[in-house]
Amino acid sequence: MAAFDVRDMLKADAAAASPTSFGGGSEPRTHRFHPLAERIAAIPVKPTLSPVMIEGLVRLADAVTICAVGALVFAAYAAGNVASLLPYQITVGALAIGALALFQMLRLYVVGSLRNYVGTAMRLLSGWTTLFMVAIAVFFFLKIGDTVSRVWLLGFYVGGGLALLGERFLANRIVLRLTRSGRLERRTAIVGGGEAGIALIKALEAQNDTGLRICGVFDDRGDDRSPDLVAGYPKLGTIDDLVEFARRTKLDLVIFTLPISAEARLLGMLRKLWVLPIDIRLSAHMSKLRFRPRSYSYFGAVPVLDVFDRPIADWDVVVKWLFDKIVGTLALIALSPVMLAVAIAVKLDSRGPVLFRQKRYGFNNETIDVLKFRSLYHEMTDHSAAKQVTRGDPRVTRVGRFIRKTSLDELPQLLNVVFKGDLSLVGPRPHAIHASTASRAYEQVVDGYFARHKVKPGITGWAQVHGWRGETDTDDKIQRRVEHDLYYIENWSVLLDVYILLKTPFSLLTKSENAY
């Protein structure tokens, strides 16, 4: 998908001036706002790639390139002609580390620099030359110039410079392609359509490279203080509309332009938005209050205060993905005999399919198909979870009682983890779309219930190992489960995932009073 410009779309849609509804998501909305919101939501998007990851990959490519060139030049000239390999290894390692540090100081890893090949190439060659001059000076003053071959050092300098230029050219092509497709731009919404909103947008547009794509403005005010057009961007709706808009457009960032002094209004808006898996920032460029420099983050030179961060982001996403794939695959292989035995038992016990599919909430309120071994009689299957399974429920088969008690019915969800990727090994358990307590839907019972969908759901989780699994027939049970889910989200680490996985088998044996 190519990157889009909301202002260009607004010009093309100038004739469509009447408001329209913006619905169809998991959280019902009755508000009506600008029709452009529907068009933006209909544009297919892929997840934004983290600049931190791009920069990290280029650092890795630089280090590998430098070490590879040093080794190749050594193999071509000096191998077999030197008394010791150690000085060459130390020199290559020191130059690789020095290059990474110097290139960082020269800002050669920021995405904006990676887009500008000519400017980057000049600074890179200057830094590479400076590094070798420092190395030669060190050899001279320490009187160790005869420990490495001068011809090797010259070949390393020339070959390394050319290889780095080639590697950066390839990186430049990739970054430009990702930029054109919109993968490196953070989809952003501005909250507040008054003078502060206009000033923020103009300040952001004055920067050379912020990596932001403004999708529109949202404001609860409908008077002259919040016009329909803010610095060329349309006001798409209210804060309630923004929640649904953010989910459907996979928004990355929300920036508030409200002053800190508007505490009550700000807190009211944040209470609605904190359930979203996005970054939330408070504009500080017009604020008269001044904090310590480390309190701010910046888009170019525009300062903002961090309010909420996406819970699992940047390299954490990669680490958790690898953990799920590797451990999930090993678990699938190890447990395949058990899964086969359960499948046979289910088939022999009652007629109907072995597996049961159910629509449940996934990441960001997206609907996913979760697999389970069928534990109810086929003719009594409840795909919508309209009625929870209770103790002694006549719908449950004989085999079903055992596999539900031991959670063996959840094992097919390893297929969700390994092949579909819509589940994680560890995370908040996915709930059925229409799940409820004895009297009310979960989201009506727990304030901020949908915040548990800020990460992928899991096969097991922090709530489950603490005994909050099985039937949730009372308000207190679902409240305690969500409390544990939110604790997990706020304190996630790989070690916590490992701990939960190791504790899960013991919890199944000792804390299963609500599972039947």
Side-chain angles (χ1 to χ4, degrees), residues 122-411:
M122 297 298 293
R123 283 185 288 157
L124 185 144
L125 286 179
S126 298
W128 185 244
T129 301
T130 301
L131 189 66
F132 268 78
M133 292 176 64
V134 171
I136 292 172
V138 170
F139 285 140
F140 175 78
F141 285 111
L142 295 182
K143 298 180 180 181
I144 55 174
D146 57 345
T147 57
V148 297
S149 165
R150 293 177 177 83
V151 176
W152 172 82
L153 197 61
L154 177 62
F156 188 16
Y157 167 71
V158 175
L162 293 175
L164 284 171
L165 287 177
E167 174 242 310
R168 283 307 183 98
F169 179 79
L170 179 61
N172 170 260
R173 296 295 96 185
I174 294 173
V175 167
L176 287 178
R177 183 175 180 181
L178 291 172
T179 299
R180 285 191 293 269
S181 67
R183 298 294 302 278
L184 294 181
E185 293 181 325
R186 301 176 71 187
R187 290 174 289 277
T188 304
I190 305 297
V191 174
E195 293 183 3
I198 295 174
L200 173 65
I201 292 174
K202 289 183 176 179
L204 291 174
E205 291 181 336
Q207 308 303 308
N208 292 327
D209 184 23
T210 61
L212 304 183
R213 171 70 64 178
I214 298 176
C215 297
V217 178
F218 292 80
D219 199 328
D220 283 337
R221 298 174 298 180
D223 52 26
D224 294 339
R225 294 176 299 170
S226 179
D228 291 336
L229 207 59
V230 181
Y233 291 91
K235 187 172 74 171
L236 300 180
T238 65
I239 298 301
D240 289 315
D241 299 320
L242 176 55
V243 175
E244 181 63 20
F245 181 82
R247 293 200 187 282
R248 291 181 56 184
T249 58
K250 294 182 172 63
L251 209 64
D252 299 299
L253 173 69
V254 171
I255 305 178
F256 280 83
T257 63
L258 280 67
I260 298 177
S261 58
E263 180 179 353
R265 187 175 168 218
L266 188 62
L267 289 176
M269 292 180 175
L270 290 175
R271 191 174 293 113
K272 297 177 181 179
L273 294 179
W274 77 278
V275 301
L276 298 171
I278 60 175
D279 295 326
I280 298 179
R281 303 289 182 259
L282 179 63
S283 173
H285 77 292
M286 291 185 65
S287 175
K288 295 181 181 179
L289 292 175
R290 288 294 177 262
F291 301 93
R292 292 180 179 180
R294 68 182 66 181
S295 302
Y296 298 99
S297 57
Y298 293 84
F299 300 115
V302 179
V304 293
L305 293 171
D306 298 347
V307 181
F308 289 117
D309 289 317
R310 189 189 303 261
I312 300 178
D314 301 329
W315 285 107
D316 288 343
V317 175
V318 178
V319 170
K320 189 165 178 64
W321 184 86
L322 288 173
F323 181 83
D324 285 340
K325 296 300 180 184
I326 295 172
V327 179
T329 300
L330 294 175
L332 188 60
I333 295 172
L335 294 172
S336 56
V338 177
M339 294 175 65
L340 179 61
V342 173
I344 293 173
V346 170
K347 193 65 178 178
L348 294 176
D349 185 47
S350 62
R351 66 180 183 86
V354 171
L355 293 179
F356 167 69
R357 296 175 181 268
Q358 189 176 57
K359 299 287 184 183
R360 298 195 176 191
Y361 279 126
F363 171 71
N364 198 27
N365 278 29
E366 295 174 355
T367 302
I368 61 174
D369 287 317
V370 171
L371 297 173
K372 299 182 69 174
F373 282 122
R374 180 176 57 83
S375 59
L376 305 185
Y377 288 104
H378 180 54
E379 61 275 12
M380 298 181 181
T381 299
D382 183 8
H383 289 280
S384 63
K387 180 183 178 182
Q388 290 196 40
V389 174
T390 58
R391 188 182 302 274
D393 199 315
R395 298 175 297 167
V396 181
T397 66
R398 291 172 299 176
V399 170
R401 296 192 189 284
F402 175 74
I403 62 176
R404 291 180 70 89
K405 190 74 173 177
T406 56
S407 288
L408 292 175
D409 61 328
E410 311 286 0
L411 290 182

Side-chain angles (χ1 to χ4, degrees), residues 110-126:
V110 296
V111 173
S113 295
L114 297 175
R115 293 193 184 103
N116 180 12
Y117 178 71
V118 175
T120 297
M122 297 298 293
R123 283 185 288 157
L124 185 144
L125 286 179
S126 298

